[in-house]
Amino acid sequence: MNNSQKLRHYIGEHLLSFTLVIGSYFRNKAPDRRGKDEHQLPLDTRDLFSPPLFIELLSGVCKAYFKGLANKSMAPEFDLCSFELVEALIQVMGKDKDMEEVLRVHDQNQMSQTYFSQFLKQRGISTPPLKGKQDIVLETGPHLGGFNQAISVPELIDALFRFSAILVSTCFLNENKWKA
């Protein structure tokens, strides 16, 4: 993988992380509303989200990130934070559909016994099962898709790829403008 491919990958990871933090901001307005209701249906917390504020925060992150890396302001036509993207994020982040995480045997075996016990306690399991005997299913969600499945917001992946490509291209052109 060359440097621009690495950079593009890191940009996507960073912006995905910021997106998750923004979603967590809205979700944490009601931490008691998590999981499933009495009928085992995913709780719906979409009412906690403000689409205009979500767009403002995500757009602000993208603009600051672009300016920090490219050393110039992002052109308005490159702003990928649309109402459609934010609505797709809210539809997934606001419903506790994908709650499960799997702690695989392989991963358990990489942990010390102390860390294994602490890890499970932090996730609500007070009496841990025997380490390394079977996969352990934990309800740690909501997640942006099922465990080991595709992300449930393909619009986000598309936006991250486009933003990364624009930013990497801008950085390349800035560094090589004397050659043009």
Side-chain angles (χ1 to χ4, degrees):
M1 190 178 289
N2 65 36
N3 287 340
S4 65
Q5 287 173 317
K6 287 179 188 174
L7 180 61
R8 183 183 69 221
H9 186 70
Y10 293 137
I11 292 167
E13 286 180 1
H14 293 159
L15 290 180
L16 174 61
S17 296
F18 284 120
T19 304
L20 294 174
V21 168
I22 293 168
S24 294
Y25 163 78
F26 293 108
R27 284 304 304 259
N28 285 327
K29 288 180 178 181
D32 55 315
R33 289 174 57 193
R34 185 172 168 257
K36 296 180 180 169
D37 66 15
E38 65 276 0
H39 306 292
Q40 295 303 306
L41 296 172
L43 285 178
D44 187 349
T45 61
R46 293 176 289 181
D47 61 299
L48 300 174
F49 290 79
S50 165
L53 181 56
F54 203 133
I55 289 171
E56 181 183 338
L57 293 171
L58 191 54
S59 185
V61 164
C62 290
K63 287 174 184 172
Y65 197 93
F66 194 97
K67 177 110 173 127
L69 221 55
N71 202 26
K72 67 191 303 183
S73 294
M74 184 174 76
E77 61 269 19
F78 294 158
D79 193 347
L80 304 172
C81 302
S82 67
F83 180 77
E84 292 77 21
L85 171 60
V86 167
E87 274 299 309
L89 287 167
I90 292 170
Q91 290 303 313
V92 173
M93 292 177 160
K95 269 195 127 173
D96 289 348
K97 184 177 164 206
D98 296 303
M99 297 297 291
E100 293 181 350
E101 170 187 357
V102 178
L103 181 58
R104 295 186 173 137
V105 170
H106 172 77
D107 297 323
Q108 295 172 40
N109 290 333
Q110 301 297 314
M111 301 174 168
S112 70
Q113 184 62 44
T114 302
Y115 180 70
F116 173 74
S117 297
Q118 289 172 344
F119 182 88
L120 292 177
K121 261 187 196 156
Q122 289 172 342
R123 285 152 182 83
I125 298 179
S126 54
T127 308
L130 289 176
K131 184 178 115 180
K133 296 296 180 194
Q134 64 185 25
D135 290 348
I136 302 169
V137 178
L138 305 166
E139 290 226 355
T140 59
H143 302 290
L144 289 179
F147 186 76
N148 266 359
Q149 295 176 10
I151 191 167
S152 53
V153 188
E155 299 91 343
L156 177 61
I157 299 303
D158 183 54
L160 294 176
F161 279 135
R162 287 185 287 134
F163 182 86
S164 298
I166 292 165
L167 182 51
V168 169
S169 299
T170 302
C171 290
F172 176 81
L173 291 173
N174 284 348
E175 292 172 10
N176 294 287
K177 62 183 165 191
W178 58 270
K179 294 180 185 178

